[in-house]
Amino acid sequence: MVPLMYLLQGTWKEAPQRTHRWNNQKLSAETCQILDNRLLLSFSGEETAKVRWVGFLPRFHMPVWGGWRTFVVLAPVNYTADWHVGWIPHDVRAGVSKVAVTGPVRVTIGPGPVKFFGLDKDGAQIELVHQGSGQIGKAGITSRRVPLF
């Protein structure tokens, strides 16, 4: 899958997308309501981003076919163990990645507002900080090896 993800993002110089439909868990509205709003990072969206899906294809994961290129770098604050990144978008159900990561992650930004959060291995919410942003294919030296989720 890794070679395909490199092709779909259009660059070999950056870490490829690591999450896919089968390793994401959807979250209920009730679960989202118990999240601490003070620990959610909100982004207004990238107005030039295309729609998420084209038929059954997840266009947003395919920058070479007009998918989302803008990303933000998120990192846990005072937390060094494995954690999971989650999202609450404006247009689909909220979710969390089952892929654990240590340190910062890059997450793409679509056309509408989105909120991101972090969970520790026990499901407790952790504080995140926005460390920067960029574009897939133009990531700087400090963010090109940061995992893309």
Side-chain angles (χ1 to χ4, degrees), residues 79-102:
Y79 188 80
T80 57
D82 285 353
W83 66 284
H84 302 268
V85 65
W87 51 89
I88 304 172
H90 75 289
D91 59 345
V92 295
R93 280 183 58 193
V96 64
S97 174
K98 294 185 222 177
V99 178
V101 66
T102 302

Side-chain angles (χ1 to χ4, degrees), residues 8-149:
L8 291 175
Q9 77 180 6
T11 181
W12 297 96
K13 294 181 180 182
E14 299 174 22
Q17 183 82 30
R18 290 182 55 184
T19 56
H20 310 286
R21 175 182 264 174
W22 53 86
N23 58 18
N24 292 336
Q25 178 181 339
K26 297 293 182 192
L27 299 179
S28 67
E30 295 81 27
T31 301
C32 292
Q33 288 176 351
I34 64 172
L35 292 171
D36 185 340
N37 282 325
R38 295 170 298 167
L39 298 179
L40 297 175
L41 292 180
S42 298
F43 297 90
S44 59
E46 175 60 48
E47 62 185 44
T48 61
K50 305 277 195 274
V51 295
R52 183 180 300 271
W53 295 89
V54 174
F56 66 91
L57 291 174
R59 178 188 214 168
F60 67 107
H61 278 300
M62 302 177 186
V64 296
W65 287 327
W68 301 351
R69 289 192 173 276
T70 299
F71 65 80
V72 293
V73 179
L74 310 177
V77 175
N78 299 322
Y79 188 80
T80 57
D82 285 353
W83 66 284
H84 302 268
V85 65
W87 51 89
I88 304 172
H90 75 289
D91 59 345
V92 295
R93 280 183 58 193
V96 64
S97 174
K98 294 185 222 177
V99 178
V101 66
T102 302
V105 298
R106 292 181 297 150
V107 288
T108 54
I109 301 294
V114 62
K115 296 177 182 179
F116 293 104
F117 58 92
L119 299 177
D120 69 14
K121 64 180 175 63
D122 298 319
Q125 195 172 355
I126 61 173
E127 184 178 1
L128 299 179
V129 64
H130 175 205
Q131 285 190 327
S133 34
Q135 295 270 319
I136 293 174
K138 299 177 185 176
I141 191 123
T142 57
S143 62
R144 72 173 62 155
R145 290 292 157 221
V146 172
L148 180 63
F149 276 66

